[in-house]
PDB file of all heavy atoms in Angstrom:
ATOM      1  N   THR A 380      19.061  32.612  32.630  1.00 97.00           N
ATOM      2  CA  THR A 380      18.450  33.584  33.580  1.00 97.00           C
ATOM      3  C   THR A 380      16.966  33.788  33.263  1.00 97.00           C
ATOM      4  O   THR A 380      16.128  33.800  34.173  1.00 97.00           O
ATOM      5  CB  THR A 380      19.186  34.915  33.495  1.00 97.00           C
ATOM      6  OG1 THR A 380      20.586  34.727  33.786  1.00 97.00           O
ATOM      7  CG2 THR A 380      18.625  35.938  34.459  1.00 97.00           C
ATOM      8  N   VAL A 381      16.664  33.944  31.990  1.00 98.00           N
ATOM      9  CA  VAL A 381      15.277  34.157  31.612  1.00 98.00           C
ATOM     10  C   VAL A 381      14.418  32.917  31.958  1.00 98.00           C
ATOM     11  O   VAL A 381      13.332  33.024  32.524  1.00 98.00           O
ATOM     12  CB  VAL A 381      15.161  34.429  30.074  1.00 98.00           C
ATOM     13  CG1 VAL A 381      13.685  34.478  29.611  1.00 98.00           C
ATOM     14  CG2 VAL A 381      15.893  35.746  29.726  1.00 98.00           C
ATOM     15  N   ASN A 382      14.948  31.725  31.677  1.00 98.00           N
ATOM     16  CA  ASN A 382      14.221  30.503  31.953  1.00 98.00           C
ATOM     17  C   ASN A 382      13.958  30.348  33.469  1.00 98.00           C
ATOM     18  O   ASN A 382      12.841  30.050  33.890  1.00 98.00           O
ATOM     19  CB  ASN A 382      14.952  29.288  31.417  1.00 98.00           C
ATOM     20  CG  ASN A 382      15.056  29.272  29.910  1.00 98.00           C
ATOM     21  OD1 ASN A 382      14.228  29.914  29.242  1.00 98.00           O
ATOM     22  ND2 ASN A 382      15.986  28.518  29.379  1.00 98.00           N
ATOM     23  N   LEU A 383      15.016  30.538  34.253  1.00 97.00           N
ATOM     24  CA  LEU A 383      14.866  30.310  35.697  1.00 97.00           C
ATOM     25  C   LEU A 383      13.933  31.344  36.314  1.00 97.00           C
ATOM     26  O   LEU A 383      13.050  30.979  37.127  1.00 97.00           O
ATOM     27  CB  LEU A 383      16.271  30.420  36.324  1.00 97.00           C
ATOM     28  CG  LEU A 383      16.353  30.122  37.839  1.00 97.00           C
ATOM     29  CD1 LEU A 383      15.832  28.714  38.119  1.00 97.00           C
ATOM     30  CD2 LEU A 383      17.770  30.295  38.329  1.00 97.00           C
ATOM     31  N   ARG A 384      14.094  32.605  35.929  1.00 98.00           N
ATOM     32  CA  ARG A 384      13.241  33.640  36.539  1.00 98.00           C
ATOM     33  C   ARG A 384      11.768  33.484  36.085  1.00 98.00           C
ATOM     34  O   ARG A 384      10.851  33.795  36.880  1.00 98.00           O
ATOM     35  CB  ARG A 384      13.771  35.043  36.181  1.00 98.00           C
ATOM     36  CG  ARG A 384      15.049  35.386  36.912  1.00 98.00           C
ATOM     37  CD  ARG A 384      15.571  36.771  36.553  1.00 98.00           C
ATOM     38  NE  ARG A 384      14.593  37.794  36.767  1.00 98.00           N
ATOM     39  CZ  ARG A 384      14.747  39.084  36.474  1.00 98.00           C
ATOM     40  NH1 ARG A 384      15.919  39.476  35.971  1.00 98.00           N
ATOM     41  NH2 ARG A 384      13.812  39.982  36.717  1.00 98.00           N
ATOM     42  N   THR A 385      11.540  33.008  34.883  1.00 98.00           N
ATOM     43  CA  THR A 385      10.163  32.778  34.455  1.00 98.00           C
ATOM     44  C   THR A 385       9.550  31.618  35.217  1.00 98.00           C
ATOM     45  O   THR A 385       8.368  31.699  35.629  1.00 98.00           O
ATOM     46  CB  THR A 385      10.133  32.496  32.932  1.00 98.00           C
ATOM     47  OG1 THR A 385      10.722  33.582  32.213  1.00 98.00           O
ATOM     48  CG2 THR A 385       8.677  32.320  32.451  1.00 98.00           C
ATOM     49  N   LEU A 386      10.287  30.571  35.463  1.00 97.00           N
ATOM     50  CA  LEU A 386       9.788  29.458  36.251  1.00 97.00           C
ATOM     51  C   LEU A 386       9.433  29.892  37.654  1.00 97.00           C
ATOM     52  O   LEU A 386       8.451  29.444  38.260  1.00 97.00           O
ATOM     53  CB  LEU A 386      10.843  28.342  36.334  1.00 97.00           C
ATOM     54  CG  LEU A 386      10.955  27.392  35.162  1.00 97.00           C
ATOM     55  CD1 LEU A 386      12.121  26.422  35.366  1.00 97.00           C
ATOM     56  CD2 LEU A 386       9.643  26.601  34.946  1.00 97.00           C
ATOM     57  N   GLU A 387      10.209  30.796  38.227  1.00 96.00           N
ATOM     58  CA  GLU A 387       9.969  31.284  39.578  1.00 96.00           C
ATOM     59  C   GLU A 387       8.747  32.204  39.641  1.00 96.00           C
ATOM     60  O   GLU A 387       8.056  32.256  40.651  1.00 96.00           O
ATOM     61  CB  GLU A 387      11.211  32.043  40.081  1.00 96.00           C
ATOM     62  CG  GLU A 387      12.405  31.159  40.341  1.00 96.00           C
ATOM     63  CD  GLU A 387      13.689  31.924  40.581  1.00 96.00           C
ATOM     64  OE1 GLU A 387      13.684  33.168  40.343  1.00 96.00           O
ATOM     65  OE2 GLU A 387      14.654  31.320  41.022  1.00 96.00           O
ATOM     66  N   ALA A 388       8.474  32.886  38.536  1.00 97.00           N
ATOM     67  CA  ALA A 388       7.401  33.888  38.544  1.00 97.00           C
ATOM     68  C   ALA A 388       6.033  33.359  38.105  1.00 97.00           C
ATOM     69  O   ALA A 388       5.000  33.858  38.525  1.00 97.00           O
ATOM     70  CB  ALA A 388       7.792  35.090  37.659  1.00 97.00           C
ATOM     71  N   VAL A 389       6.044  32.381  37.215  1.00 96.00           N
ATOM     72  CA  VAL A 389       4.784  31.889  36.641  1.00 96.00           C
ATOM     73  C   VAL A 389       4.521  30.477  37.177  1.00 96.00           C
ATOM     74  O   VAL A 389       5.179  29.505  36.790  1.00 96.00           O
ATOM     75  CB  VAL A 389       4.824  31.869  35.094  1.00 96.00           C
ATOM     76  CG1 VAL A 389       3.534  31.357  34.515  1.00 96.00           C
ATOM     77  CG2 VAL A 389       5.168  33.247  34.565  1.00 96.00           C
ATOM     78  N   LEU A 390       3.540  30.385  38.048  1.00 91.00           N
ATOM     79  CA  LEU A 390       3.176  29.080  38.627  1.00 91.00           C
ATOM     80  C   LEU A 390       1.789  28.683  38.146  1.00 91.00           C
ATOM     81  O   LEU A 390       0.853  29.507  38.232  1.00 91.00           O
ATOM     82  CB  LEU A 390       3.176  29.160  40.157  1.00 91.00           C
ATOM     83  CG  LEU A 390       4.523  29.636  40.799  1.00 91.00           C
ATOM     84  CD1 LEU A 390       4.322  29.782  42.301  1.00 91.00           C
ATOM     85  CD2 LEU A 390       5.607  28.602  40.492  1.00 91.00           C
ATOM     86  N   PRO A 391       1.626  27.453  37.680  1.00 90.00           N
ATOM     87  CA  PRO A 391       0.267  27.008  37.308  1.00 90.00           C
ATOM     88  C   PRO A 391      -0.671  27.097  38.489  1.00 90.00           C
ATOM     89  O   PRO A 391      -0.350  26.590  39.584  1.00 90.00           O
ATOM     90  CB  PRO A 391       0.488  25.547  36.868  1.00 90.00           C
ATOM     91  CG  PRO A 391       1.944  25.463  36.514  1.00 90.00           C
ATOM     92  CD  PRO A 391       2.646  26.428  37.408  1.00 90.00           C
ATOM     93  N   GLU A 392      -1.789  27.773  38.309  1.00 81.00           N
ATOM     94  CA  GLU A 392      -2.712  27.987  39.437  1.00 81.00           C
ATOM     95  C   GLU A 392      -3.602  26.803  39.666  1.00 81.00           C
ATOM     96  O   GLU A 392      -4.118  26.596  40.768  1.00 81.00           O
ATOM     97  CB  GLU A 392      -3.519  29.253  39.150  1.00 81.00           C
ATOM     98  CG  GLU A 392      -2.667  30.520  39.071  1.00 81.00           C
ATOM     99  CD  GLU A 392      -3.467  31.719  38.648  1.00 81.00           C
ATOM    100  OE1 GLU A 392      -4.635  31.551  38.297  1.00 81.00           O
ATOM    101  OE2 GLU A 392      -2.881  32.848  38.616  1.00 81.00           O
ATOM    102  N   THR A 393      -3.858  26.003  38.667  1.00 76.00           N
ATOM    103  CA  THR A 393      -4.720  24.810  38.779  1.00 76.00           C
ATOM    104  C   THR A 393      -4.089  23.677  38.008  1.00 76.00           C
ATOM    105  O   THR A 393      -3.107  23.843  37.296  1.00 76.00           O
ATOM    106  CB  THR A 393      -6.110  25.105  38.202  1.00 76.00           C
ATOM    107  OG1 THR A 393      -5.983  25.476  36.809  1.00 76.00           O
ATOM    108  CG2 THR A 393      -6.845  26.216  38.942  1.00 76.00           C
ATOM    109  N   ASP A 394      -4.678  22.507  38.124  1.00 76.00           N
ATOM    110  CA  ASP A 394      -4.191  21.362  37.373  1.00 76.00           C
ATOM    111  C   ASP A 394      -4.645  21.506  35.941  1.00 76.00           C
ATOM    112  O   ASP A 394      -5.853  21.426  35.666  1.00 76.00           O
ATOM    113  CB  ASP A 394      -4.746  20.078  37.988  1.00 76.00           C
ATOM    114  CG  ASP A 394      -4.048  18.846  37.396  1.00 76.00           C
ATOM    115  OD1 ASP A 394      -3.530  18.914  36.279  1.00 76.00           O
ATOM    116  OD2 ASP A 394      -4.042  17.772  38.061  1.00 76.00           O
ATOM    117  N   VAL A 395      -3.733  21.723  35.028  1.00 82.00           N
ATOM    118  CA  VAL A 395      -4.068  22.020  33.622  1.00 82.00           C
ATOM    119  C   VAL A 395      -3.844  20.843  32.703  1.00 82.00           C
ATOM    120  O   VAL A 395      -3.940  20.968  31.477  1.00 82.00           O
ATOM    121  CB  VAL A 395      -3.222  23.235  33.110  1.00 82.00           C
ATOM    122  CG1 VAL A 395      -3.563  24.505  33.911  1.00 82.00           C
ATOM    123  CG2 VAL A 395      -1.732  22.916  33.154  1.00 82.00           C
ATOM    124  N   ARG A 396      -3.599  19.656  33.251  1.00 79.00           N
ATOM    125  CA  ARG A 396      -3.150  18.564  32.393  1.00 79.00           C
ATOM    126  C   ARG A 396      -4.184  18.140  31.370  1.00 79.00           C
ATOM    127  O   ARG A 396      -3.833  17.621  30.314  1.00 79.00           O
ATOM    128  CB  ARG A 396      -2.761  17.341  33.246  1.00 79.00           C
ATOM    129  CG  ARG A 396      -3.892  16.517  33.815  1.00 79.00           C
ATOM    130  CD  ARG A 396      -3.399  15.408  34.736  1.00 79.00           C
ATOM    131  NE  ARG A 396      -3.013  15.950  36.023  1.00 79.00           N
ATOM    132  CZ  ARG A 396      -2.420  15.225  36.959  1.00 79.00           C
ATOM    133  NH1 ARG A 396      -2.130  13.978  36.708  1.00 79.00           N
ATOM    134  NH2 ARG A 396      -2.114  15.765  38.122  1.00 79.00           N
ATOM    135  N   ASP A 397      -5.472  18.327  31.640  1.00 79.00           N
ATOM    136  CA  ASP A 397      -6.499  17.842  30.763  1.00 79.00           C
ATOM    137  C   ASP A 397      -7.183  18.962  29.927  1.00 79.00           C
ATOM    138  O   ASP A 397      -8.150  18.706  29.242  1.00 79.00           O
ATOM    139  CB  ASP A 397      -7.595  17.152  31.552  1.00 79.00           C
ATOM    140  CG  ASP A 397      -7.073  15.920  32.237  1.00 79.00           C
ATOM    141  OD1 ASP A 397      -6.219  15.224  31.665  1.00 79.00           O
ATOM    142  OD2 ASP A 397      -7.512  15.618  33.380  1.00 79.00           O
ATOM    143  N   CYS A 398      -6.638  20.148  29.947  1.00 88.00           N
ATOM    144  CA  CYS A 398      -7.284  21.300  29.270  1.00 88.00           C
ATOM    145  C   CYS A 398      -6.311  22.028  28.377  1.00 88.00           C
ATOM    146  O   CYS A 398      -5.399  22.690  28.849  1.00 88.00           O
ATOM    147  CB  CYS A 398      -7.873  22.247  30.337  1.00 88.00           C
ATOM    148  SG  CYS A 398      -8.757  23.662  29.579  1.00 88.00           S
ATOM    149  N   LEU A 399      -6.541  21.898  27.074  1.00 89.00           N
ATOM    150  CA  LEU A 399      -5.650  22.565  26.108  1.00 89.00           C
ATOM    151  C   LEU A 399      -5.689  24.047  26.250  1.00 89.00           C
ATOM    152  O   LEU A 399      -4.643  24.711  26.219  1.00 89.00           O
ATOM    153  CB  LEU A 399      -6.034  22.120  24.688  1.00 89.00           C
ATOM    154  CG  LEU A 399      -5.231  22.761  23.561  1.00 89.00           C
ATOM    155  CD1 LEU A 399      -3.757  22.456  23.680  1.00 89.00           C
ATOM    156  CD2 LEU A 399      -5.766  22.335  22.209  1.00 89.00           C
ATOM    157  N   ASP A 400      -6.876  24.631  26.401  1.00 90.00           N
ATOM    158  CA  ASP A 400      -6.977  26.087  26.484  1.00 90.00           C
ATOM    159  C   ASP A 400      -6.217  26.599  27.725  1.00 90.00           C
ATOM    160  O   ASP A 400      -5.584  27.660  27.650  1.00 90.00           O
ATOM    161  CB  ASP A 400      -8.437  26.515  26.577  1.00 90.00           C
ATOM    162  CG  ASP A 400      -9.184  26.339  25.241  1.00 90.00           C
ATOM    163  OD1 ASP A 400      -8.491  26.274  24.180  1.00 90.00           O
ATOM    164  OD2 ASP A 400     -10.415  26.258  25.218  1.00 90.00           O
ATOM    165  N   ALA A 401      -6.317  25.864  28.825  1.00 91.00           N
ATOM    166  CA  ALA A 401      -5.592  26.292  30.028  1.00 91.00           C
ATOM    167  C   ALA A 401      -4.073  26.202  29.825  1.00 91.00           C
ATOM    168  O   ALA A 401      -3.311  27.062  30.265  1.00 91.00           O
ATOM    169  CB  ALA A 401      -6.017  25.429  31.224  1.00 91.00           C
ATOM    170  N   LEU A 402      -3.612  25.170  29.122  1.00 92.00           N
ATOM    171  CA  LEU A 402      -2.199  25.025  28.830  1.00 92.00           C
ATOM    172  C   LEU A 402      -1.711  26.156  27.936  1.00 92.00           C
ATOM    173  O   LEU A 402      -0.638  26.746  28.155  1.00 92.00           O
ATOM    174  CB  LEU A 402      -1.926  23.688  28.147  1.00 92.00           C
ATOM    175  CG  LEU A 402      -1.863  22.448  29.022  1.00 92.00           C
ATOM    176  CD1 LEU A 402      -1.907  21.177  28.204  1.00 92.00           C
ATOM    177  CD2 LEU A 402      -0.617  22.478  29.907  1.00 92.00           C
ATOM    178  N   LEU A 403      -2.517  26.496  26.912  1.00 90.00           N
ATOM    179  CA  LEU A 403      -2.132  27.582  26.004  1.00 90.00           C
ATOM    180  C   LEU A 403      -2.165  28.925  26.695  1.00 90.00           C
ATOM    181  O   LEU A 403      -1.344  29.824  26.436  1.00 90.00           O
ATOM    182  CB  LEU A 403      -3.004  27.550  24.749  1.00 90.00           C
ATOM    183  CG  LEU A 403      -2.817  26.322  23.896  1.00 90.00           C
ATOM    184  CD1 LEU A 403      -3.802  26.362  22.715  1.00 90.00           C
ATOM    185  CD2 LEU A 403      -1.392  26.169  23.392  1.00 90.00           C
TER     186      LEU A 403
END
Side-chain angles (χ1 to χ4, degrees):
T380 302
V381 174
N382 292 341
L383 184 60
R384 288 180 55 183
T385 303
L386 279 176
E387 292 170 346
V389 181
L390 302 175
E392 296 172 355
T393 58
D394 190 337
V395 297
R396 78 183 76 187
D397 297 324
C398 181
L399 177 59
D400 288 340
L402 281 167
L403 295 178

